[in-house]
Amino acid sequence: MTSTSSKLPDRKLQVGLGDSVLGRFAVAASGGRIVAIVFGRDDAALLDDLRRRFPDASLAADGGVADLVETVAGLIARPAMAASLKLDPAGTAFQKSVWAALRRLPAGATASYADIATAIGAPKAVRAVASACAANPIAVAIPCHRVRPKAGGIGGYRWGAERKAALLRAEAAL
DNA sequence: TATTCCTGTCCTG
DNA sequence: CAGGACAGGAATA
């Protein structure tokens, strides 16, 4: 908008840390909406990740999001309840369209990167779709893990192929 | 089977 | 500012 750069005029983010079946995670919220869910090996790494994503925001540990932390932990354990969360992902128009398409994928279902590319009207931008998935700021709640290579296999995952496989396994069992 | 191009973003020189 | 790398995939030789 006005001066320097950045995407959103983020002021402060309420940050909560917690443990899930997939490891330590952080959830960042602003205005009652989730702006990020990230995984990391420890709290320092989690905060570092958030600082990289939101260089212009001040991060504050906030007990007010304790219930949110609990909700997210539950979501990671049981991905079926994703719909109830209020999300506010920051990104380009292209990225947002990709993420919106992903949110239309029900738990237990999967799509190929090519499927998503077609769904957003850019059938040739398959690789760009993968990049958009990799840039997804809200792990699990925006289900990037439900996108798999058309050729087969698990494909890559920002948080590690093992987590992706675990999520798919859990959702397939629903 | 091995290249090459496609497309959006980010990272590096 | 230019070039390369990516969580992929289709087209071409």
Side-chain angles (χ1 to χ4, degrees), chain A residues 17 24 40-51:
Chain A
L17 302 164
R24 193 78 176 154
R41 75 181 192 295
D42 56 40
D43 293 355
L46 289 168
L47 293 174
D48 189 59
D49 190 328
L50 290 177
R51 267 189 286 267

Side-chain angles (χ1 to χ4, degrees), chain A residues 94-165:
Chain A
F94 179 85
Q95 291 170 332
K96 286 180 182 174
S97 68
V98 169
W99 301 335
L102 293 181
R103 266 174 277 163
R104 288 181 216 117
L105 274 180
T110 62
S112 69
Y113 292 94
D115 288 337
I116 301 301
T118 298
I120 65 174
K124 290 184 182 176
V126 182
R127 195 162 195 174
V129 166
S131 290
C133 291
N136 167 31
I138 312 181
V140 186
I142 294 178
C144 310
H145 57 278
R146 291 179 198 150
V147 191
R148 306 172 62 221
K150 202 171 194 178
I154 289 298
Y157 192 57
R158 163 123 196 214
W159 311 109
E162 286 187 20
R163 282 200 182 92
K164 185 172 184 175

